[in-house]
Amino acid sequence: MPIPASSESLELVAVNQILSSIGQAPVTDLNQTNPDVAIAYNTLLEVSRDVQTEGWTFNKDYNVKVYPEADQTIPWGIDVLEMNISQDPGYLQKARHKTVKREGKVWDRQRQTFLFPKDFYFFDIMRLYNWDDLPIPIRDYVTAKASSTASQRIVGDPTQYQMLQQKEAYCRAYAMEYECNQGQYSMFGDPKHGTNYNSFQPY
């Protein structure tokens, strides 16, 4: 059985892919005293965050039970990108409860308060995951997108940038295929989260 690679080694592989895409030599570590390594690594992290912010099946959890603290506030986790009270189709008033991060806590925009007096709440949560926790198709897409971005920042060759964009488009299509397979979406919506189409049912 192969030994799983560490997070740093996986990031190093991605950084070397970015460097090779723009015609730079590979490196043996993520020493950011090298300007090209620093740009490639920071671009990788930036693009990873941007892509995950789109919201995918792997980083979104629905109806997560969340318990307020003793002071009736709910802390906003450092890995949380988005957090909203679950929208239950049976209780449409919940759809008005949009929450945002303020002062490191969950702020209810409808009630204009940090206080959540009930024992627990159900939230839909989108999280930011580390590199080694990303699915391979998403990693490939992020690396391809980071490569085209780094090409703009380091090289500035329009021909190279166009070629890398073609690779990025291919990897995004691959990532979307993975997403559709994982989410089991169809033209009738998503049955797991109440957006599916309900056909006529006689009573």
Side-chain angles (χ1 to χ4, degrees):
M1 176 182 294
I3 300 174
S6 67
S7 176
E8 183 176 355
S9 64
L10 289 174
E11 289 180 336
L12 179 60
V13 170
V15 167
N16 279 331
Q17 288 178 344
I18 295 171
L19 292 174
S20 64
S21 296
I22 60 177
Q24 302 295 319
V27 295
T28 56
D29 57 55
L30 295 176
N31 185 352
Q32 297 189 53
T33 57
N34 182 326
D36 289 346
V37 173
I39 292 174
Y41 182 62
N42 291 331
T43 301
L44 181 72
L45 298 182
E46 175 188 330
V47 172
S48 177
R49 184 184 65 248
D50 291 345
V51 169
Q52 291 189 59
T53 303
E54 293 183 37
W56 305 76
T57 52
F58 74 88
N59 73 334
K60 294 180 75 174
D61 294 312
Y62 297 90
N63 298 317
V64 179
K65 185 179 285 188
V66 176
Y67 298 90
E69 301 288 307
D71 60 357
Q72 297 188 344
T73 64
I74 298 177
W76 190 286
I78 59 174
D79 63 336
V80 173
L81 294 171
E82 186 178 293
M83 191 170 178
N84 282 307
I85 293 178
S86 299
Q87 299 184 18
D88 186 340
Y91 300 93
L92 296 179
Q93 68 272 19
K94 289 186 179 180
R96 297 195 300 270
H97 281 269
K98 289 294 184 181
T99 56
V100 294
K101 178 182 180 180
R102 289 187 185 173
E103 301 176 19
K105 296 176 288 189
V106 176
W107 171 262
D108 188 327
R109 293 176 58 201
Q110 181 192 5
R111 296 185 297 116
Q112 295 288 293
T113 181
F114 288 112
L115 301 180
F116 292 83
K118 296 181 182 179
D119 293 336
F120 61 86
Y121 294 80
F122 290 101
F123 277 83
D124 295 339
I125 302 176
M126 183 194 304
R127 300 186 188 276
L128 177 68
Y129 284 103
N130 293 325
W131 185 252
D132 53 331
D133 290 324
L134 300 183
I136 291 176
I138 303 299
R139 265 191 257 159
D140 290 345
Y141 170 48
V142 170
T143 303
K145 186 175 179 66
S147 296
S148 59
T149 304
S151 174
Q152 270 189 320
R153 294 176 175 177
I154 299 175
V155 181
D157 182 353
T159 302
Q160 182 189 78
Y161 176 68
Q162 185 177 11
M163 293 175 61
L164 291 174
Q165 275 199 314
Q166 292 175 352
K167 174 68 174 179
E168 176 187 333
Y170 170 80
C171 288
R172 179 170 178 83
Y174 179 38
M176 291 303 296
E177 181 181 3
Y178 169 85
E179 172 70 7
C180 290
N181 290 335
Q182 291 294 308
Q184 298 180 344
Y185 305 113
S186 74
M187 61 181 296
F188 297 110
D190 182 4
K192 291 183 180 179
H193 309 122
T195 62
N196 60 308
Y197 169 76
N198 293 317
S199 60
F200 172 71
Q201 297 179 355
Y203 292 94

